[in-house]
Amino acid sequence: MKPLIEATALKQLDPYSFTLIDARGFGNSRERYEQGHIEGALYVDLEDLASHTDNAAVGGRHPLPDVDRFANLLGKLGITPDTHVIVYDDKVAANPAARFWWMLRSVGHEKVQVLNGGLQVAQDAGLNITTDISAPSEATQYQVKHGFSGTAEIEEVKAAAKDSSRMVIDVRETPRYLGQTEPLDLIAGHIPGAVNVPYNTNMGEGNRYLSPEQLKANYGKVFGDVKPEQVIVHCGSGVTACHTLLALEQAGLTGAKLYVGSWSEWSRRDLPIATENGIIAPENK
């Protein structure tokens, strides 16, 4: 099952054959959901997809929740391991939709897709938009076989950034990577050795992902001789990076890992930081 589904294909599905998730994320997203969402969609907030933390230096701003807590959320949504889940947001999957997709895949859930182009494309395709709040099907107990897989911890990232056979990709906007600005974290810059491939380069016309062929060609140039399974992807807090992990999966380039702590963790650990002007290197780091 490809990770992306088109609005035209979604429109043709039996509405009882899948569970639709509106994952618009944070801020006033619940209010936006209540003002209009795709008919049948259940709401999931970014706060449901991360654990609460007072110390972003350990796990970043959006660390993964306990896997049992995530399983409990899935059960409340009526999702079973056999459920076909389709998820969307209003940020072309750059926020919680891709994170939710990645988390499900990480615990072994196979049948999950993201709506290509999100809410706007759904509206353009004529899917029903409603203010009616849907109730999930009967709650169930979702059995997870293992914890979140496909993650990289900070020590592995340190080693990978220095290894020519591996690659660390920073998907943030280039000014943040270069250290010119930092709107969310304490210090601007990037992990020394990381390459910058902004997540929005995954997008083509109409706020849809590029074709699998184009994505494969683009990332083939970035990877060179590095194998996909030797790639680690990060962003600011481990959410937007999932957009690129989805793009890689769509391109058939499987096996890349997510550095969940991302820049929000690295920049708080007194580690070397690179900018366009060079490297700030604390002693003995």
Side-chain angles (χ1 to χ4, degrees):
M1 179 176 285
K2 282 287 190 181
L4 290 171
I5 184 170
E6 300 297 330
T8 50
L10 173 59
K11 197 174 180 180
Q12 294 172 4
L13 291 178
D14 177 347
Y16 295 102
S17 68
F18 64 94
T19 295
L20 185 62
I21 302 293
D22 182 309
R24 274 184 262 185
F26 43 85
N28 66 343
S29 56
R30 176 75 199 199
E31 181 181 339
R32 299 199 311 275
Y33 166 81
E34 293 175 350
Q35 291 172 349
H37 52 269
I38 302 174
E39 186 175 15
L42 306 174
Y43 177 76
V44 170
D45 195 276
L46 177 60
E47 296 304 316
D48 297 317
L49 307 178
S51 64
H52 301 286
T53 181
D54 295 322
N55 182 15
V58 180
R61 286 184 278 108
H62 292 119
L64 290 172
D66 180 85
V67 71
D68 290 333
R69 181 181 152 215
F70 182 55
N72 186 53
L73 169 67
L74 298 178
K76 288 181 178 178
L77 293 168
I79 294 172
T80 74
D82 295 322
T83 302
H84 181 189
V85 179
I86 299 174
V87 57
Y88 71 90
D89 59 31
D90 58 359
K91 302 291 186 185
V92 296
N95 281 303
R99 169 84 166 217
F100 192 45
W101 166 84
W102 180 87
M103 289 173 66
L104 276 170
R105 296 287 288 120
S106 180
V107 298
H109 194 101
E110 296 289 340
K111 297 169 66 175
V112 55
Q113 295 177 292
V114 172
L115 178 60
N116 197 4
L119 181 62
Q120 185 59 56
V121 169
Q123 291 175 305
D124 294 344
L127 274 81
N128 292 332
I129 305 298
T130 183
T131 58
D132 294 339
I133 307 300
S134 296
S137 57
E138 184 177 354
T140 183
Q141 186 173 5
Y142 192 104
Q143 297 286 345
V144 291
K145 297 179 180 179
H146 54 72
F148 295 108
S149 63
T151 63
E153 299 298 327
I154 196 166
E155 292 301 324
E156 183 178 359
V157 176
K158 286 182 189 178
K162 300 174 183 177
D163 186 342
S164 62
S165 68
R166 304 197 68 184
M167 181 173 291
V168 177
I169 295 179
D170 183 333
V171 311
R172 297 174 302 155
E173 298 86 348
T174 298
R176 293 180 70 187
Y177 171 85
L178 293 176
Q180 296 171 351
T181 184
E182 181 45 63
L184 297 171
D185 292 307
L186 304 179
I187 304 173
H190 64 269
I191 297 170
V195 300
N196 184 219
V197 186
Y199 77 91
N200 57 16
T201 61
N202 298 322
M203 307 307 295
E205 294 182 3
N207 283 333
R208 290 179 174 87
Y209 279 78
L210 295 169
S211 70
E213 296 76 18
Q214 189 61 61
L215 288 168
K216 186 173 184 178
N218 290 353
Y219 280 103
K221 294 174 184 176
V222 174
F223 289 0
D225 294 330
V226 177
K227 296 179 180 180
E229 59 268 26
Q230 297 299 325
V231 173
I232 298 171
V233 182
H234 82 86
C235 54
S237 67
V239 177
T240 306
C242 295
H243 186 281
T244 289
L245 290 167
L246 191 156
L248 293 175
E249 187 80 15
Q250 181 74 359
L253 301 171
T254 62
K257 293 182 178 181
L258 172 65
Y259 172 30
V260 180
S262 287
W263 184 247
S264 56
E265 178 180 66
W266 183 281
S267 61
R268 289 170 168 83
R269 295 287 282 270
D270 195 29
L271 292 168
I273 290 173
T275 71
E276 61 182 333
N277 298 317
I279 295 179
I280 306 169
E283 251 185 81
N284 301 320
K285 297 293 183 180

